[in-house]
Amino acid sequence: MKQGIITIFLTVFSVLYAWGDAVGTWKVYPSYSDITDIQPAGKQIFVLASNSLYSYNINDGSLQTYSKNDVLNSSNIQNIAWVGAARKLIITYSDYTIDILTLNGDVEYISALADKQTTDDKTINSVYVSGQYAYLSTGFGIVKINAKDATVADTYNLGFKVDYCYISSGYLYAASESKGLMRCALTANLLNRNEWAEAGNYTKQEKEKYVFDSTNKCYWASDADGRLTKYQKLEDGSYEAASLGVMPDGPACNSFWRLYKHDGKLFGTAGLMAAGMYIENPGIVNIYDPSSDTWSKLEEPSSDLSSIPYKMVNCMTFDPKDNSHFWVGGYSGLYEYRNYKCVNAYNYTNSTLVPIYNTSTTGSIICSMAYDPSGNLWVMNGWCDTPVQCLKANGEWKSYPMDGYNFDNLNTIDYQGIYYSNTNKSMWWIHSYHRDGRIFRMTDEGNIKAISQLQYNYGDNESAKTFSPTNIYDIEEDHLGNIWFATTDGPVFLMKDSISANSYILAKHKVPRGDGKADLLLDGIALHSIAIDAANQKWMGTKDNGVYLIGADNNTQIHHFTKDDSPLISNTVLDILIDEQDGTVYFATDKGLCSFKGDITADNLNMSDETVWAYPNPVTPDFTGDITIRGLEPGSQIIITTTSGHKVAEGVCSGGSYLWNGCDLNGKKVASGVYMVNVATRDGNEGVVTKIAIVR
């Protein structure tokens, strides 16, 4: 009987295996383009590249990556060091935690330094290995780690920053740019600062480009493309490549500022030219193809198109009438692409775009841009006195001076969000500069309304309150026609009815507490980004508090992910993109890109027998987790019965999926058999049925 059930349902539900990652699955997408350290370890060569880790097996040529998504406990690696006596790799992170990795992939975790309550600088600057010990040079002294048993052996608080340390002739040396070269005899009390004495001047430690591998009698280094390559040293002292370079697939860099979905692919601009967050990143647009799980980089413009250096790419937009046509904007102006090839470049030399500070010859900063329904491309031109520019559908450029608005400090003109609303037929954009937050609405060409005094209320005849968020970073419209804004004072929105009435008092949502009082939704939590899924749920990325998922009712907190309790790689979430085809939610952070497999897709809103299904299916005897029923409309009602109609379980799903523990209403595991999952929308209509086979 059991074998028969398995055979039947393996055929019926084979489609499940094509679906990909399960709901709740996390993925990390690290770059490996910039090698900063190489640690030979016998047949394995460990490589630190772009703050990420991989290894190369010289016997079979295989590559192995390591991340927070699998074996590691943190992200943004700062140092690695091979401890040969212990056969382990020391890994240190920017959050002061330490992993110790064995060759078979086991990891031991040390959080003592991170947990240490002190005002001292705990940054780990370098690692020195002697025997089974690793000496960590920190902002306050040296921490000695016993790699064999993964413990802190000693802490030498010297009261000054140690850039690097080493042992020589019976002394432990501490090199400090601020203090000079200090040393203490290994036989003395290293814990006593008074035992340390001056030993000379500080010399900066330079890493060798070519790392000698004593086991394999060769050298390892990065080639011109950033790939790990084996070299041989020639008699004249030069080096010759002895192998082809290798590198794991990944983005060209870990810098992600804005995310876009187009042509079935994810596009991520490296940025970063924004108020208070100026980082001189290269002109990179990373492209990810989920169908093949592969990365590429958008071709850069030819110098023939523009003599201005191409860097700090901020934003993109895609022609809604031509799938092959899109635009890239950044520090050096605006670039037009067709079929992934750059065909035109625009800046202050050949358009109405204005240069930086109106006088600079280095570029025209493009902060954000969007199309309107007439095919006009609206461009936000930052750091100048004419920030609103338009490339008309007929190819002509036109400027829109904003008379009456104070632009005394051109450094404040930073429009990092723009959105065209089909609901209210308006172009919206936000001014994100420090303590000068404004919201703009343009109802028709040139008719610009600025909401410069930001006020909010939260209903029930309460008077409006003025608030001054440090920054406004993002703008998004929900499925009810409300316009949401991500501010450093939490989320606020303009209600659809208020917009229709030309009323610009913002709203802060009041969340009932159950005691007759209420709290404001995420009030005071600094936001960077908002994304709204197909079920009108709000993903909110924060400045330093991870990411929240708020239900469609704006009252229910479905998830709160941080780097401490999830694989999220950073608590600073700069942008969020939702792939409504498969439910994947991508997070652009200050440490790179990661994603979470959500349970909301476009199919959720059109439930049918074809779109609702369960996995695993069949449920085999070795399965111990929850059974997931996927493709549900949020708020759907679920009743699970036997084939004879006897109810065994029931519930309501909050998102797009429902978890069943395989137990009946009394908490007892159900017997082998086929179970009917009856699903209805929140209003009780549109019944859907799927089946689950259980084998005990």
Side-chain angles (χ1 to χ4, degrees):
M1 174 63 182
K2 291 182 180 180
Q3 183 63 41
I5 293 176
I6 292 175
T7 301
I8 293 171
F9 280 89
L10 279 177
T11 301
V12 174
F13 293 97
S14 61
V15 68
L16 299 184
Y17 295 97
W19 178 64
D21 298 322
V23 169
T25 300
W26 285 85
K27 290 185 72 173
V28 179
Y29 309 89
S31 173
Y32 302 98
S33 61
D34 181 19
I35 293 179
T36 53
D37 202 355
I38 300 171
Q39 294 286 312
K43 70 174 183 179
Q44 294 290 111
I45 311 300
F46 289 99
V47 182
L48 176 60
S50 302
N51 302 111
S52 306
L53 179 67
Y54 71 92
S55 66
Y56 171 66
N57 187 306
I58 64 174
N59 288 346
D60 59 18
S62 62
L63 291 171
Q64 173 70 49
T65 60
Y66 309 85
S67 74
K68 191 179 178 183
N69 193 53
D70 39 57
V71 299
L72 302 185
N73 288 290
S74 191
S75 55
N76 199 34
I77 302 171
Q78 300 300 293
N79 306 279
I80 62 172
W82 175 248
V83 185
R87 307 292 294 164
K88 296 177 180 178
L89 185 76
I90 298 287
I91 305 167
T92 74
Y93 300 94
S94 60
D95 62 4
Y96 323 124
T97 59
I98 303 160
D99 274 340
I100 301 181
L101 175 69
T102 66
L103 288 175
N104 64 7
D106 294 331
V107 171
E108 297 163 296
Y109 180 58
I110 300 177
S111 63
L113 181 60
D115 296 339
K116 181 180 176 64
Q117 299 299 310
T118 179
T119 58
D120 292 334
D121 178 9
K122 297 186 287 186
T123 302
I124 302 171
N125 302 310
S126 61
V127 181
Y128 170 77
V129 174
S130 178
Q132 70 190 56
Y133 297 101
Y135 294 80
L136 315 183
S137 297
T138 74
F140 62 85
I142 300 171
V143 178
K144 182 180 178 182
I145 301 292
N146 186 336
K148 278 194 173 180
D149 60 14
T151 59
V152 176
D154 270 317
T155 298
Y156 312 130
N157 193 330
L158 305 180
F160 58 83
K161 175 187 174 183
V162 179
D163 296 281
Y164 64 92
C165 66
Y166 61 93
I167 292 174
S168 178
S169 302
Y171 287 88
L172 176 60
Y173 287 82
S176 170
E177 186 175 9
S178 61
K179 191 73 173 177
L181 185 64
M182 305 291 289
R183 76 175 186 177
C184 183
L186 294 174
T187 55
N189 182 7
L190 292 162
L191 299 173
N192 186 352
R193 295 184 189 179
N194 295 325
E195 296 282 349
W196 290 77
E198 294 182 8
N201 297 323
Y202 170 80
T203 302
K204 185 177 180 180
Q205 188 179 46
E206 301 288 349
K207 283 191 175 181
E208 294 288 341
K209 177 181 178 181
Y210 298 93
V211 177
F212 181 62
D213 182 346
S214 60
T215 302
N216 301 294
K217 309 303 180 187
C218 66
Y219 291 83
W220 298 95
S222 170
D223 68 9
D225 296 319
R227 300 176 181 274
L228 177 69
T229 306
K230 182 169 71 172
Y231 289 85
Q232 295 294 339
K233 190 173 184 178
L234 304 180
E235 291 184 1
D236 63 0
S238 63
Y239 295 86
E240 181 180 68
S243 71
L244 295 175
V246 294
M247 183 201 310
D249 188 36
C253 65
N254 283 321
S255 297
F256 287 86
W257 172 238
R258 290 286 180 256
L259 302 176
Y260 304 89
K261 179 73 183 298
H262 175 72
D263 196 26
K265 300 178 181 66
L266 174 80
F267 293 74
T269 61
L272 178 60
M273 196 72 186
M277 293 186 292
Y278 177 99
I279 300 175
E280 191 156 330
N281 284 322
I284 290 177
V285 177
N286 287 302
I287 305 175
Y288 176 61
D289 186 345
S291 65
S292 59
D293 194 25
T294 56
W295 286 90
S296 60
K297 186 177 76 169
L298 182 65
E299 179 181 283
E300 296 184 7
S302 166
S303 58
D304 295 337
L305 293 175
S306 174
S307 61
I308 300 174
Y310 177 72
K311 59 183 180 179
M312 290 178 287
V313 173
N314 270 331
C315 55
M316 300 181 72
T317 196
F318 300 87
D319 189 337
K321 299 179 181 179
D322 184 349
N323 195 56
S324 68
H325 186 213
F326 58 87
W327 300 83
V328 174
Y331 174 86
S332 45
L334 180 65
Y335 298 88
E336 181 179 13
Y337 280 79
R338 291 190 181 275
N339 296 311
Y340 295 86
K341 301 288 185 182
C342 188
V343 295
N344 281 307
Y346 296 95
N347 51 57
Y348 65 90
T349 66
N350 60 354
S351 70
T352 58
L353 294 174
V354 182
I356 300 169
Y357 305 141
N358 292 354
T359 59
S360 172
T361 58
T362 57
S364 302
I365 296 175
I366 310 304
C367 301
S368 55
M369 50 190 168
Y371 274 99
D372 67 18
S374 299
N376 303 312
L377 177 66
W378 292 89
V379 178
M380 299 293 104
N381 188 178
W383 297 20
C384 71
D385 61 2
T386 314
V388 182
Q389 306 283 342
C390 183
L391 178 57
K392 310 290 285 185
N394 62 8
E396 296 180 1
W397 280 93
K398 186 174 181 180
S399 289
Y400 292 84
M402 297 175 65
D403 298 331
Y405 300 111
N406 183 7
F407 294 131
D408 287 344
N409 184 354
L410 299 181
N411 190 51
T412 69
I413 312 306
D414 189 50
Y415 296 146
Q416 289 293 335
I418 187 170
Y419 177 79
Y420 182 82
S421 170
N422 280 307
T423 304
N424 51 68
K425 309 303 180 187
S426 303
M427 186 73 73
W428 297 82
W429 65 89
I430 50 179
H431 184 214
S432 61
Y433 190 75
H434 183 78
R435 298 197 181 281
D436 190 21
R438 303 179 193 177
I439 298 169
F440 293 86
R441 180 190 185 189
M442 185 168 63
T443 52
D444 51 56
E445 186 174 324
N447 185 6
I448 300 171
K449 164 70 177 177
I451 311 167
S452 54
Q453 182 183 17
L454 300 182
Q455 295 179 295
Y456 73 90
N457 61 34
Y458 41 95
D460 302 330
N461 299 317
E462 298 188 46
S463 59
K465 299 172 179 62
T466 299
F467 75 115
S468 300
T470 305
N471 296 91
I472 307 175
Y473 282 121
D474 203 5
I475 177 173
E476 189 77 21
E477 182 175 355
D478 69 20
H479 300 304
L480 301 178
N482 306 310
I483 306 289
W484 289 77
F485 304 93
T487 85
T488 44
D489 195 31
V492 294
F493 60 98
L494 280 169
M495 291 183 287
K496 179 181 179 181
D497 291 345
S498 297
I499 296 170
S500 299
N502 293 318
S503 172
Y504 299 109
I505 302 297
L506 297 153
K508 283 197 172 187
H509 181 72
K510 187 185 291 186
V511 181
R513 286 201 315 230
D515 60 356
K517 299 180 180 180
D519 297 311
L520 299 181
L521 177 64
L522 302 185
D523 190 44
I525 294 179
L527 300 185
H528 264 307
S529 52
I530 292 180
I532 299 173
D533 65 23
N536 214 32
Q537 300 180 142
K538 288 83 181 175
W539 288 92
M540 299 189 183
T542 73
K543 179 181 178 182
D544 53 17
N545 202 24
V547 63
Y548 292 84
L549 174 59
I550 305 299
D553 61 1
N554 301 326
N555 294 328
T556 308
Q557 180 178 302
I558 299 173
H559 293 303
H560 177 206
F561 297 125
T562 71
K563 70 179 184 63
D564 299 318
D565 58 19
S566 76
L568 183 69
I569 58 177
S570 172
N571 284 338
T572 301
V573 181
L574 301 172
D575 200 17
I576 302 173
L577 182 137
I578 301 168
D579 187 336
E580 293 190 351
Q581 297 304 307
D582 68 0
T584 301
V585 185
Y586 295 92
F587 305 110
T589 80
D590 63 334
K591 299 295 188 295
L593 181 72
C594 60
S595 69
F596 172 77
K597 191 73 165 188
D599 56 6
I600 299 296
T601 68
D603 290 338
N604 290 127
L605 305 183
N606 298 286
M607 288 193 307
S608 69
D609 293 347
E610 289 74 32
T611 60
V612 176
W613 45 273
Y615 69 94
N617 204 357
V619 180
T620 55
D622 58 339
F623 180 74
T624 58
D626 290 332
I627 303 161
T628 301
I629 303 163
R630 185 182 179 273
L632 304 173
E633 176 185 325
S636 298
Q637 305 166 52
I638 296 95
I639 297 177
I640 301 173
T641 69
T642 62
T643 52
S644 61
H646 177 70
K647 184 193 298 183
V648 296
E650 63 180 339
V652 176
C653 80
S654 58
S657 61
Y658 178 77
L659 300 180
W660 177 39
N661 60 8
C663 296
D664 61 21
L665 295 172
N666 297 317
K668 183 180 178 181
K669 291 288 185 182
V670 298
S672 296
V674 176
Y675 292 84
M676 314 300 293
V677 181
N678 302 277
V679 184
T681 60
R682 69 187 72 185
D683 56 11
N685 297 323
E686 299 182 16
V688 174
V689 176
T690 192
K691 300 177 183 180
I692 302 173
I694 295 180
V695 183
R696 297 296 187 197

